[in-house]
Amino acid sequence: AAGVIQSPRHLIKEKRETATLKCYPIPRHDTVYWYQQGPGQDPQFLISFYEKMQSDKGSIPDRFSAQQFSDYHSELNMSSLELGDSALYFCASSFSASGYTGELFFGEGSRLTVL
Amino acid sequence: GNSVTQMEGPVTLSEEAFLTINCTYTATGYPSLFWYVQYPGEGLQLLLKATKADDKGSNKGFEATYRKETTSFHLEKGSVQVSDSAVYFCALSDKTGGSYIPTFGRGTSLIVHP
């Protein structure tokens, strides 16, 4: 079965540079979530999209922005990168059909290292 | 707000030992509860879930019971294997403002020795 696809899997950037992460949700899933997981930390919710519209916002820095496109893929844009942005970034998707209880399907993550 | 607290790791066990990973939660509504597992180098995968009080979720020999009176959802397995070594995350999901935003615990690393 198709899973959530994230790219790139690994990314190395310098401070103050810009990075873009991509996420392709499971086909027919209508909601995409972005999470940031620092070393030894729990995943922190950044932002979510439902049917291509931003639905909820978590602890996403102002330097970050995200959008969901007409084909449902999503991109997380990070500018003015800081050392503290080094983390594993997960995308997850879900399908909010009747009876949905909140489980997410995660991609394998994109590891960003800022030097 | 919602929060999840789980026991700190790492938890180190020998193969075939009994496993318990404690998880308690705070929620304003009636959340669904989940355990996710993260194997090295991989994303989180749903292990099991329970959607209402007294429900028991089970999968691959793991079990957890939704205890509303103690606000707990402890993960158990009777006999662990080396292949169970991973990080386990307890999570809850509550419908807030029309959408579900899961809240995760900090994760508990499990190391199983042969």
Side-chain angles (χ1 to χ4, degrees):
Chain A
V4 176
I5 306 296
Q6 291 188 245
S7 68
R9 292 294 309 278
H10 302 274
L11 191 59
I12 299 174
K13 291 287 185 177
E14 301 276 342
K15 277 171 50 177
R16 292 181 288 279
E17 285 192 320
T18 297
T20 297
L21 306 180
K22 296 185 179 183
C23 169
Y24 295 84
I26 293 172
R28 295 195 303 280
H29 278 198
D30 53 20
T31 307
V32 167
Y33 306 78
W34 285 98
Y35 281 83
Q36 178 192 58
Q37 185 182 27
Q41 304 294 312
D42 57 303
Q44 292 293 313
F45 171 69
L46 294 179
I47 195 166
S48 63
F49 293 86
Y50 170 70
E51 285 291 345
K52 294 162 278 185
M53 299 287 289
Q54 182 183 309
S55 58
D56 288 283
K57 204 168 182 179
S59 52
I60 184 169
D62 292 339
R63 299 176 289 107
F64 292 10
S65 64
Q67 56 183 322
Q68 188 176 27
F69 295 85
S70 58
D71 64 352
Y72 288 87
H73 95 271
S74 178
E75 294 184 4
L76 178 66
N77 299 292
M78 300 174 284
S79 62
S80 302
L81 287 169
E82 302 173 356
L83 296 178
D85 297 328
S86 295
L88 199 50
Y89 290 82
F90 286 110
C91 174
S93 71
S94 66
F95 179 53
S96 55
S98 173
Y100 174 64
T101 53
E103 61 266 40
L104 302 186
F105 295 82
F106 283 83
E108 294 192 331
S110 294
R111 183 171 295 283
L112 171 67
T113 302
V114 181
L115 302 176
Chain B
N2 296 338
S3 67
V4 175
T5 303
Q6 58 183 109
M7 63 189 287
E8 289 195 23
V11 173
T12 305
L13 296 172
S14 298
E15 207 164 25
E16 299 182 5
F18 183 84
L19 168 71
T20 300
I21 300 179
N22 290 337
C23 171
T24 57
Y25 67 90
T26 302
T28 52
Y30 299 93
S32 296
L33 302 175
F34 307 87
W35 278 99
Y36 287 85
V37 59
Q38 184 177 28
Y39 298 103
E42 299 184 12
L44 280 73
Q45 304 172 28
L46 180 66
L47 179 60
L48 53 84
K49 69 175 183 179
T51 58
K52 60 183 187 297
D54 301 324
D55 265 4
K56 177 187 280 189
S58 61
N59 186 26
K60 299 180 181 178
F62 290 90
E63 292 183 340
T65 301
Y66 190 142
R67 301 283 188 204
K68 190 166 182 289
E69 64 276 13
T70 54
T71 61
S72 65
F73 193 54
H74 304 321
L75 182 69
E76 297 182 336
K77 186 173 185 182
S79 175
V80 293
Q81 305 300 311
V82 172
S83 57
D84 293 326
S85 298
V87 181
Y88 291 82
F89 291 91
C90 185
L92 69 82
S93 189
D94 200 0
K95 199 165 187 180
T96 306
S99 60
Y100 288 91
I101 303 297
T103 300
F104 289 86
R106 289 214 148 188
T108 302
S109 175
L110 170 64
I111 301 169
V112 181
H113 293 294

